[in-house]
Amino acid sequence: MKFPGSVLVSVSLFVAETVTALYLCFTYSLAGDRIWQDLTLLFCLLPCLLVQICLIFVHRDLSRDRPLVLLLHLLQLGPLVRCVEVFYIYFRADKIEEPYVSITKKRQLPKGGCSDEVEKEVGRAEGKLFTHRSAFSRASVIQAFLGSAPQLTLQLYISVLQQYITLSRSIFMSISLLSIVYGALRCNILAIKIKYDDYDISVRPAAYLCIFLWRVFEIATRVTVLVLFSSVLQIWTLPVVLLNFFIFFFYPWILFWKSQSPFPENIEKALSRVGTTMVLCCLTFLYAGINMFCWSAVQLKLNDSDLINKSQNWYCMAVYYMLRFVENASLLLLWYIFKTDIYIYVCAPLLVLQLLIGYCISVLFMLIFYQFCHPCKKLFSSSISDGLLTCFKFLCYMCIPSREPSKGDKFGAKLSDSSEIMDQPSSKGMESQNGNSHHNVSSNA
């Protein structure tokens, strides 16, 4: 039975971030910074509440008679209780023989052109651990992008305005960055497991390392660009953020509306149409929050039973990263133009270059992962290098303008047309002369 290390990491990051956030709120209260205290507390408590709802929803505790567990969730102690329950199940699993065993069938990755189907016995304890891992993976994603990402942006913004950084704030920002990167890593792993659910998949350490480096560079540069832009153009910060958010929020709904599919009813049997709509809105809200900071690794498809587009679309990924690079460069250009005196000791051109190179490095690690380290790269219908090559050819075709004919070319074309017209009666006259000469020769004969 696999050790539940992911559960331990999720709970550790959750507790560490919550404790440091509350301590930082206390320091802001002592310093009299009421606005920073309230915003830090908001970005701490809101994801905590959403994490409790996620754990209750996945475990379906509302339909079960577990009042103590619900009470502990209301006291924001749900992740700790779930973690204790996970390790209790794990250490008791080998000591008790289970009468109930289910059989699952998984296909192995193809070797030599064929893939074998393998049957595996799954006990009740292992099934419970699988449910706990799934719940904590989703909770980590919620904690990362609805709590840690806004929190990291806020604390970095405060540090830029105050032009100094305290030890507690630096520790808090480091924990928040690790939480976001871990949430993005969970997004990648969840995407792989959902898309290739029929296969027995094992992710190697090299793949984890590539994903970690890819996400660290991508998220760190993105947060830094947003903070730099908002520090000089505060009035335009909200429109830029809302535009990004609403584009990704409404994009799955627009695709669903264009498909003219019926409203999905198979998400949860106990939910009504209103409840299903609320769940889908929360899902698209989380999807928009993820894509605000990094690539979500999945595409929502609301007319599908799994709500996920399982096809590997390289073009969406290429378009996302190209547009995001253009947006980051534009925001950095605006920051460079309107930067204030607080950046007098900062080499602005070097900082812009470092951030753009950092984003390119993240794209490089992403390419390495999909080309060499992806656990299911043998199942790809086309590699990412082929998709990027096609995309670059299309961009080159679009960027190279077609040469318009000059006046000389138009005059030459007219001359050629007139010469062809003049040649046509002469050729007809030659044919008539040849015909007459042929007639005279035949009559003389």
Side-chain angles (χ1 to χ4, degrees), residues 16 44 69 72 80 110 114 117 119 191 224 240 313 357 366 394 397 412 426 444:
C44 172
V69 173
L72 292 173
L80 295 176
C114 59
E117 194 172 55
E119 293 185 353
T224 307
V240 170
N313 196 336
I357 291 176
M366 182 263 294
F394 176 74
Y397 176 77
S426 62
N444 291 330

Side-chain angles (χ1 to χ4, degrees), residues 340-377:
T340 56
D341 293 337
I342 62 175
Y343 298 104
I344 191 172
Y345 298 110
V346 176
C347 183
L350 181 60
L351 180 59
V352 170
L353 183 63
Q354 287 175 343
L355 290 173
L356 294 179
I357 291 176
Y359 199 78
C360 293
I361 291 174
S362 72
V363 176
L364 176 63
F365 280 113
M366 182 263 294
L367 296 177
I368 293 174
F369 168 71
Y370 280 105
Q371 186 70 26
F372 302 107
C373 301
H374 197 284
C376 302
K377 60 180 182 292

